[in-house]
Amino acid sequence: MSIDKFDKEILRRLQKDGKKQNKDLADEIGLSQSPCSRRVKHLEDTNIIREYVALVEPAAVGFPISIYANVALDKQTKESVKHFEDAIMNYPEVMECYLVTGKYDYILRIVAQSIDSYQTFLMDKLTLIEGVKNIQTTITMKPVKYSTSIPL
Amino acid sequence: MSIDKFDKEILRRLQKDGKKQNKDLADEIGLSQSPCSRRVKHLEDTNIIREYVALVEPAAVGFPISIYANVALDKQTKESVKHFEDAIMNYPEVMECYLVTGKYDYILRIVAQSIDSYQTFLMDKLTLIEGVKNIQTTITMKPVKYSTSIPL
DNA sequence: ACTGAAATGGCGCGACC
DNA sequence: GGTCGCGCCATTTCAGT
C-alpha cells in the first residue's frame, strides 16, 4: 500500500490532466497498459485519488468574488464545533474551511456573485449559525494562483 | 456565448465528475450525444472549463499540513507586486494566492510535509523574496471542507 | 505475483441531415 | 439539435518471467 516511484509519476500526471489516456500515461511512465491501469485503479480504490473534476473559471460563470472569512465561536465544545461544521457543509458558497489556531477558530473561503450577495450570505446564513461570535472578512482583489496539485 | 440552462447543467455535473461519459451526460441533461459533446467542447475552448484534474488526498501522499500565510510587502509598486507574484508562481507548495485588502497584501495557502518543512520553506524561500516585509502564519489543525465546485 | 501481449466491446468524434 | 458509422481506447483474459 506504499506509494512507489511509479505511483508518484501517475499522480503527478493525473493531477495535471485528469483525463489523460491510460495508453499515454503508460507510455510516459514506462509501463505497459494493464499494470498502469491497475495502479490507477488501486489509487482510486484507496482514495488516494479522491475524485476527478472539471475546474470551472469562477468569473466566467458569474462568481468573480472570492472572500476569506475568519470565524470565532463562543465556545469550542464538541457540540458547538460539530454544529458549525455541519452548517458549513450545507453551504455550497463555502469552498474551503479549515479549523485553525489563533484568535479565530475557522478560516473560510467563500465565492460570491457580488459583494452584495456576500453580504446577504453573511447576514442570512453565516451569522445565524448558533455559536458564531465574531466574523472578520477579507475581500480578495485578484486571484494570483490557484492550484490543486500536491507537489509530489 | 452566454451560458444557458443546458450549459449550467453540464458544468454542474462535470464539476462533480470530470470523467462522466458524454453518453451519460447527454442522457442526464436530455440531449443527444453530439450536441452535448459540442457544448462541452465549446466550454473547453472558451476556457469556462479550465482543465480536468484528479484531486489527490494530501495526507495520503505525505502532505498533511495546510498553512495560511498573510504577507505584507514594503511597497505596492507595479514592479514589487510583479516580482512577488512571479516568485509565488514558481513555488509548487503555494496552492493558492490572492491579492487582498487590509493590512496584508496577500493571503497564501501552503501545503507542507511537516511544520519543520514549512519553516524551511518560510526561511529559504518566502522571506527571501525581495520586497517582503512581514509574514503572519496561521496553522490549520483540520480540514473541514474542500470543494472545487462553483455553486451554479 | 506481477508484468506484458492480444482480442473484444463500447464510447467518442466527425460527417451529414 | 439529431442520426449514423468509423476508429480508437479501455478492459479482461491469458501467457510468461
Side-chain angles (χ1 to χ4, degrees):
Chain A
M1 215 227 95
S2 54
I3 279 81
D4 69 2
K5 209 92 194 273
F6 285 123
D7 292 326
K8 264 196 183 170
E9 288 300 318
I10 289 173
L11 292 173
R12 217 193 301 269
R13 284 167 172 78
L14 290 182
Q15 283 193 128
K16 279 195 269 186
D17 177 7
K19 296 183 84 168
K20 186 179 283 287
Q21 307 202 86
N22 184 63
K23 170 179 135 39
D24 296 335
L25 187 58
D27 283 350
E28 290 178 15
I29 67 174
L31 243 51
S32 63
Q33 298 185 30
S34 52
C36 179
S37 164
R38 266 198 299 272
R39 279 169 179 273
V40 171
K41 186 160 179 27
H42 178 252
L43 292 167
E44 292 165 358
D45 290 344
T46 54
N47 282 323
I48 294 172
I49 295 178
R50 290 172 42 217
E51 53 184 340
Y52 297 91
V53 300
L55 297 182
V56 170
E57 179 59 44
V61 292
F63 285 80
I65 313 283
S66 239
I67 283 156
Y68 283 98
N70 291 289
V71 176
L73 300 185
D74 280 331
K75 43 188 160 52
Q76 290 74 38
T77 61
K78 212 173 276 188
E79 299 76 36
S80 182
V81 160
K82 181 178 183 343
H83 184 256
F84 178 78
E85 297 183 4
D86 286 350
I88 288 304
M89 295 306 282
N90 291 322
Y91 296 149
E93 303 91 329
V94 178
M95 301 292 283
E96 301 168 38
C97 173
Y98 287 89
L99 181 66
V100 297
T101 62
K103 74 181 198 188
Y104 289 98
D105 294 303
Y106 293 100
I107 292 183
L108 281 66
R109 185 168 66 85
I110 295 155
V111 293
Q113 306 188 342
S114 64
I115 299 285
D116 264 18
S117 67
Y118 173 69
Q119 269 289 356
T120 305
F121 172 78
L122 209 59
M123 299 304 195
D124 293 356
K125 295 185 177 171
L126 211 50
T127 58
L128 297 187
I129 300 174
E130 181 78 25
V132 168
K133 183 170 67 183
N134 175 22
I135 301 170
Q136 185 248 336
T137 294
T138 301
I139 310 268
T140 72
M141 291 188 290
K142 190 186 73 168
V144 174
K145 181 175 187 178
Y146 180 78
S147 167
T148 56
S149 291
I150 309 299
L152 296 172
Chain B
M1 216 229 91
S2 54
I3 279 82
D4 69 3
K5 210 91 194 275
F6 284 123
D7 292 327
K8 264 195 183 170
E9 288 301 318
I10 289 173
L11 292 174
R12 218 193 301 269
R13 284 169 172 78
L14 290 183
Q15 283 192 129
K16 278 194 271 185
D17 177 7
K19 293 183 86 167
K20 187 179 282 287
Q21 308 203 78
N22 184 64
K23 171 180 140 29
D24 296 334
L25 186 57
D27 282 351
E28 289 179 17
I29 67 174
L31 243 50
S32 61
Q33 300 185 29
S34 53
C36 179
S37 163
R38 271 198 294 268
R39 280 168 179 273
V40 171
K41 185 161 182 21
H42 178 252
L43 293 168
E44 292 165 359
D45 291 343
T46 55
N47 283 322
I48 292 172
I49 295 177
R50 290 172 42 217
E51 52 183 341
Y52 297 92
V53 299
L55 297 182
V56 170
E57 179 60 42
V61 291
F63 285 80
I65 313 281
S66 240
I67 283 156
Y68 283 98
N70 291 291
V71 176
L73 301 185
D74 280 331
K75 45 186 159 50
Q76 289 74 38
T77 60
K78 210 172 278 185
E79 298 75 37
S80 182
V81 160
K82 181 177 183 345
H83 184 257
F84 178 78
E85 296 183 4
D86 286 350
I88 288 305
M89 295 306 282
N90 291 322
Y91 295 149
E93 304 92 330
V94 178
M95 301 292 283
E96 301 168 37
C97 174
Y98 287 89
L99 181 66
V100 297
T101 61
K103 75 179 193 186
Y104 290 97
D105 294 303
Y106 292 99
I107 292 182
L108 282 65
R109 185 169 67 83
I110 295 155
V111 293
Q113 305 188 342
S114 65
I115 300 286
D116 263 18
S117 66
Y118 173 68
Q119 270 288 357
T120 306
F121 172 79
L122 208 58
M123 298 303 194
D124 293 355
K125 295 184 179 173
L126 210 51
T127 57
L128 297 187
I129 300 175
E130 180 79 25
V132 167
K133 184 170 66 182
N134 175 22
I135 300 171
Q136 186 248 335
T137 295
T138 301
I139 310 268
T140 71
M141 290 189 290
K142 189 186 73 169
V144 175
K145 182 176 186 177
Y146 181 78
S147 167
T148 55
S149 291
I150 309 298
L152 297 172

